[in-house]
Amino acid sequence: MIRKAILAAALAAASGAVAQTWSLDSCISYAVSHNLTVKSRELNAISGELDITEAKDRFLPTVSAGASQSFSFGRGLTAENTYANRNTTNFGWQAGLNLPLFQGLRNVRNLDYAKANLLTLVEELESAKDDITLNVIAQYLQVLYCGELCKVADEQVRLSQVELERRKELLEAGKIPELDVLQAQSQLAQDELSAVTAQNDHALALVDLAQLLELGSAEGFAIEPIDTEEPLPLLSPDAVYESALRSNHSIKASRLGVESAGKAVTLAKSGWLPTLSFNAGIGSNYYTVSGLTSESFGNQMRHNLSKSLGFSLNIPIFDAFSTRNSVRKAKVQQLSARLQLNDAQNRVYKAIQQAYTQAVAAEKRKASSAVACEATEAALEAMRLKYNYGKANATEFEQAKTAYVRAVSDAAQAKYESVLRKRILAFYNSPSPR
């Protein structure tokens, strides 16, 4: 295995790859900044801000202007009620203003809805960041766990190599049959295969973590170890859930979604209210007829100038049940939002309960694994002595070694399982600020 490590380092140096070591915090920060789902939620939040701007703009008046030019050829009716061949030219312009005075509270309610919707979108963005944070923590610890398994596999290979050399010496001394040496060679080959499998699993775990970070390649990607001996408190699931109800972004987003849906119902009801607007306009035109004398363009513009002011009132009487259907749909969405809130609370509650149960189990496994490691290591050493004196066969020795390796592997798994579940509880208890 040492030769393989030296070879890998030589290849990395030859290719010019420089390993960059990432900490857990740097992985989380990078993933939150580059994750595609998070970026999509950021765009949704930007769209929500634009919706607020649009809702505010609806309070402003609209001003429009236009002009037209027309030509008429051929016979037409004259002022004397006769027909004649005449060519006419007509030019006109106009400008108008429309100011909404009362839109059935639609503009006010639409602004309230846009603001509530933006708050929901912001919390959904933070919820997406929480999700990627938890995924990075889990995968980061998975990489470290696979690294521990690589060390265990390497140790198993080392023990098998030492045992093979020792049996060769015993064979030369005539103390054991050749079959024992062949069994040791077979066991060494199996252990080397297990080591290769463990290395592949570790490499795949690194690739998965790199993909969570949206890195183009996992080449040269390495992570720092964490202090697994640091005492992490085992928080009460009920206390964590109470804290999550106040601070968890997924729950807050769903709760704001209910409020936003309620405002959507109020907005839909605006269709039953009347609307009032103020209108103003100004315009003029220029008209000529072939064969007749016409005033100049400037005189006609002044003489034909017209102005208008007015109010427009619209009272909805029957809109083919359009408003009624809109209100019903909005109420259905409100019920759906309440179900989503219940679902979000249930998902968080289940995640906390599972994390706590798994943390308790992991702590128990850690304690039992520590005892098992000491016991199996002592048993392995005792079996080695018995085998040296011919009081045990090769199969019994390999069984003792396998039990020791399994105990070490279980201890590593329990250690990282405990760290992961306690970190999940701590995260739900109080999400770290970003």
Side-chain angles (χ1 to χ4, degrees):
M1 299 307 299
I2 296 177
R3 292 195 300 270
K4 292 182 180 179
I6 295 175
L7 178 59
L11 291 175
S15 61
V18 179
Q20 179 183 0
T21 304
W22 295 64
S23 66
L24 178 58
D25 290 338
S26 63
C27 285
I28 292 174
S29 176
Y30 190 91
V32 167
S33 301
H34 294 79
N35 182 260
L36 298 182
T37 301
V38 172
K39 288 185 176 182
S40 177
R41 296 290 175 84
E42 288 176 346
L43 294 178
N44 290 342
I46 293 174
S47 178
E49 293 176 351
L50 295 177
D51 288 340
I52 291 181
T53 302
E54 181 182 3
K56 291 179 179 179
D57 292 343
R58 291 184 180 180
F59 291 96
L60 301 177
T62 58
V63 180
S64 61
S68 63
Q69 173 73 55
S70 64
F71 302 91
S72 179
F73 307 95
R75 295 179 64 82
L77 188 65
T78 67
E80 291 79 14
N81 201 27
T82 61
Y83 285 91
N85 288 323
R86 290 179 177 176
N87 298 331
T88 61
T89 302
N90 185 31
F91 170 79
W93 67 271
Q94 69 283 334
L97 177 143
N98 181 275
L99 175 63
L101 299 178
F102 181 75
Q103 296 296 313
L105 298 177
R106 178 176 294 274
N107 290 344
V108 175
R109 292 172 176 176
N110 188 58
L111 179 59
D112 290 341
Y113 171 74
K115 290 180 178 178
N117 188 56
L118 176 60
L119 294 177
T120 303
L121 294 175
V122 170
E123 290 300 328
E124 288 178 349
L125 169 61
E126 295 302 319
S127 176
K129 293 180 179 179
D130 287 349
D131 291 341
I132 189 63
T133 298
L134 288 173
N135 290 337
V136 169
I137 291 174
Q139 190 58 39
Y140 192 97
L141 293 176
Q142 180 65 24
V143 173
L144 294 179
Y145 169 61
C146 290
E148 288 281 345
L149 292 185
C150 286
K151 294 179 181 179
V152 172
D154 291 344
E155 176 64 14
Q156 190 172 6
V157 170
R158 187 190 68 81
L159 291 175
S160 295
Q161 288 176 334
V162 171
E163 181 61 22
L164 176 60
E165 295 300 325
R166 192 178 63 83
R167 292 188 186 184
K168 287 181 178 180
E169 294 176 357
L170 293 175
L171 176 63
E172 292 178 356
K175 294 183 178 180
I176 61 173
E178 186 179 1
L179 177 61
D180 287 2
V181 175
L182 296 177
Q183 288 180 340
Q185 290 175 341
S186 175
Q187 185 62 42
L188 176 60
Q190 294 178 12
D191 293 341
E192 288 179 340
L193 178 59
S194 298
V196 172
T197 302
Q199 290 174 350
N200 289 337
D201 292 341
H202 182 252
L204 289 175
L206 274 175
V207 170
D208 290 339
L209 180 59
Q211 290 177 348
L212 277 178
L213 271 60
E214 301 294 345
L215 296 177
S217 171
E219 183 179 0
F221 179 64
I223 63 174
E224 296 177 356
I226 62 174
D227 185 8
T228 56
E229 302 302 326
E230 178 185 359
L232 295 175
L234 183 58
L235 303 174
S236 167
D238 293 334
V240 172
Y241 181 65
E242 289 298 324
S243 177
L245 288 177
R246 298 187 300 268
S247 61
N248 182 262
H249 294 295
S250 175
I251 294 178
K252 291 171 68 175
S254 298
R255 188 179 296 122
L256 289 171
V258 174
E259 297 179 8
S260 178
K263 293 183 181 297
V265 173
T266 305
L267 175 61
K269 292 180 179 180
S270 300
W272 283 319
L273 299 178
T275 61
L276 177 65
S277 61
F278 169 75
N279 302 286
I282 185 173
S284 185
N285 63 78
Y286 171 73
Y287 185 79
T288 63
V289 180
S290 62
L292 297 178
T293 302
S294 301
E295 285 188 291
S296 65
F297 180 83
N299 288 336
Q300 287 198 42
M301 285 290 107
R302 288 192 300 272
H303 295 159
N304 298 336
L305 185 65
S306 63
K307 304 173 184 177
S308 65
L309 295 174
F311 294 89
S312 176
L313 175 66
N314 181 30
I315 301 176
I317 297 177
F318 180 72
D319 60 357
F321 301 113
S322 176
T323 300
R324 184 199 67 176
N325 295 334
S326 297
V327 172
R328 288 180 176 179
K329 288 182 179 179
K331 288 183 177 180
V332 170
Q333 292 299 319
Q334 187 179 35
L335 293 175
S336 177
R338 289 172 180 170
L339 291 177
Q340 290 177 5
L341 173 59
N342 292 334
D343 180 64
Q345 292 174 338
N346 289 338
R347 283 188 286 107
V348 171
Y349 180 78
K350 290 178 181 178
I352 291 173
Q353 290 291 336
Q354 289 176 355
Y356 177 79
T357 302
Q358 291 169 334
V360 171
E363 283 295 302
K364 294 179 179 178
R365 288 172 56 197
K366 276 180 62 179
S368 61
S369 296
V371 175
C373 285
E374 295 179 0
T376 54
E377 184 178 11
L380 176 61
E381 185 62 28
M383 186 62 66
R384 179 182 289 109
L385 294 176
K386 290 177 64 177
Y387 181 76
N388 290 342
Y389 290 105
K391 296 182 179 181
N393 56 39
T395 301
E396 292 173 332
F397 177 81
E398 293 299 337
Q399 290 176 346
K401 188 182 71 173
T402 301
Y404 168 69
V405 172
R406 185 185 300 113
V408 174
S409 177
D410 290 342
Q413 185 180 26
K415 176 177 65 175
Y416 284 103
E417 180 76 12
S418 174
V419 172
L420 173 60
R421 302 309 167 186
K422 288 183 179 180
R423 282 180 175 267
I424 290 176
L425 288 173
F427 185 85
Y428 278 115
N429 186 60
S430 178
S432 58
R434 284 176 291 268

